[in-house]
Amino acid sequence: MSKVVYIETSRLRKSRYNPRMVHDPDRHRILVESIRRNGVMEPLLVYQVDDGYEVLDGSRRLAAAVEAGLDTVPCIVVQGEEAPRISLAIHFSQDDLTESELVLYVERLVAEEVFQSVEEVCRFLGVSKSWFYTLRRAARLGPLDSGAPATTLAMVEKTRVEPEKKRRIVEALDNYPLPRPMLREALREIEEKPMEEPEHVLERFYWASPRRSGEDAVTASGVYEYVLRRLGGVVEFLARNGVETLWRVEIPAQDLMVVRLLWQRL
Amino acid sequence: MPKMFSKTRALETILRVGEMLANVAEEKGLREMVVGRGELRMLLNRENRRGKSLLTLAIQRFAASQMFTTPRWTLEVADPVKPLLIYRKR
C-alpha cells in the first residue's frame, strides 16, 4: 500500500513527462474553487528529482492548490525511473487530452528511446497499431495557410455537424468570408437544416450581409436588393428587383436610428 | 474582444507557431532562439492577419505548461502576457 505524505508546494513542479499542454480555463476555475473549499482530496503522484519532486499525475491539482494558497498537498511518491511509462499508462486513460497531445507524447517517447517503436508503445498500452495511426490522422495539422482565423475555426468546430461538413464549411469560408455575428447565424442554420448544402447557406448569408458598393452606399441582397445611400442631408433607402425600384424612402440623416431599425428588420 | 473557445485550436495555434519557428531556425542554422513579440508580429501578422494576438490568446487562456515539448523541438513560454518564447531544437 502506498503511503501518502504531505509535501510543500514550493518543492513540487510539473513533470516533463506530462503530456498535457493545454487546459480548459473553466475547469481550472472549478478545480480552484473546489480545492479552496475542500482541499486536495486525491493525492498527487510524484517522483523525486535532485532538488525536489516532479508531479507525474496532478499538475492541474497542483496549479489550483498554489492558486488557492495551500502550502502542502498530499502526495504518493513513486520510483523515478519508470516515470515516462507510468505517465503514459495514466494519461492515456484520461478523456480530455486532445489527439495532438497524445500523438506528440508517443512520438516523443520513441524519439527519446524510452520505447523502441510505436508498435512497442501500442503493445504496452494493449491496443492495436491501427488505433494509433487513426489517432495520428485525426491529429494531423491542416495546411498552414488556411485563410480563416483560429477563432472562426473554433466556432466551426463547436458546431454540431459531422467532420466532413465542417471541412466543407472551412473551405467555403475562403470564398465567402463572413463577419462573426453573421457566421454564427449561418452555422446555426446549417445545424438546424442538415439537408441543406453548407456552401449554399454560406453563400446566401454572404450576399445578405451589407457590403460597401461605393463611398456613400451600402448594398445587401435577399429576395430584393437593398441599397442604403447617403445624399447630402438625407439617407436614401431603396429596394430593387432587377432594374425596377419597388420602393424608395428618404430619411433625414439625424434620424439614423430609424434607418438602423429598418435595416435590421430586413 | 473575440475569445478562443476551443482547446484543440489553441494547441494547434501553438504547435503551428512552433513549426514555423522550427523552419526559421533551420534556415538560419540556429539551435536556440529567443522570439519576442516584434518578431512574432512580423512572422504571424502578414496580410493583416491577427496571428500574434491569437497566439497570445491561446497562451494566456489555455497554456497549462510553460513548456511545449515535441519530438523535434521545445518551446518555452518565458512571458505569457507579452509573448516571449524560447525555441530550442532537440
Side-chain angles (χ1 to χ4, degrees), chain A residues 171-232:
Chain A
E171 275 172 17
L173 277 176
D174 280 346
N175 298 330
Y176 308 114
L178 285 174
R180 223 179 303 271
M182 297 291 277
L183 179 64
R184 192 173 300 131
E185 290 289 315
L187 290 176
R188 193 174 303 150
E189 190 162 329
I190 292 171
E191 243 176 43
E192 281 166 6
K193 297 179 182 163
M195 296 308 285
E196 210 164 336
E197 301 288 322
E199 289 88 353
H200 292 169
V201 178
L202 288 177
E203 189 183 350
R204 202 173 61 238
F205 270 84
Y206 176 72
W207 288 111
S209 66
R211 287 176 312 283
R212 192 163 284 280
S213 62
E215 200 170 305
D216 290 333
V218 188
T219 58
S221 25
V223 181
Y224 306 117
E225 194 186 357
Y226 304 95
V227 184
L228 195 61
R229 192 184 296 153
R230 182 165 185 166
L231 306 166

Side-chain angles (χ1 to χ4, degrees), chain B residues 34-37 40 52 55-60 63 65-68 75-86:
Chain B
V34 178
V35 193
R37 48 198 155 119
L40 285 173
K52 204 269 297 169
L55 176 70
T56 316
L57 216 58
I59 289 174
Q60 284 179 5
S65 57
Q66 298 297 310
M67 183 83 96
F68 296 92
L75 199 64
E76 197 185 324
V77 182
D79 183 356
V81 182
K82 297 279 169 191
L84 181 65
L85 307 175
I86 303 171

Side-chain angles (χ1 to χ4, degrees), chain A residues 58-90:
Chain A
S59 63
R60 282 180 298 176
R61 267 168 284 161
L62 174 65
V66 170
E67 203 175 315
L70 297 192
D71 293 330
T72 58
V73 284
C75 302
I76 293 174
V77 184
V78 295
Q79 293 297 320
E81 304 88 61
E82 285 291 295
R85 285 172 182 254
I86 299 176
S87 168
L88 184 68
I90 293 169

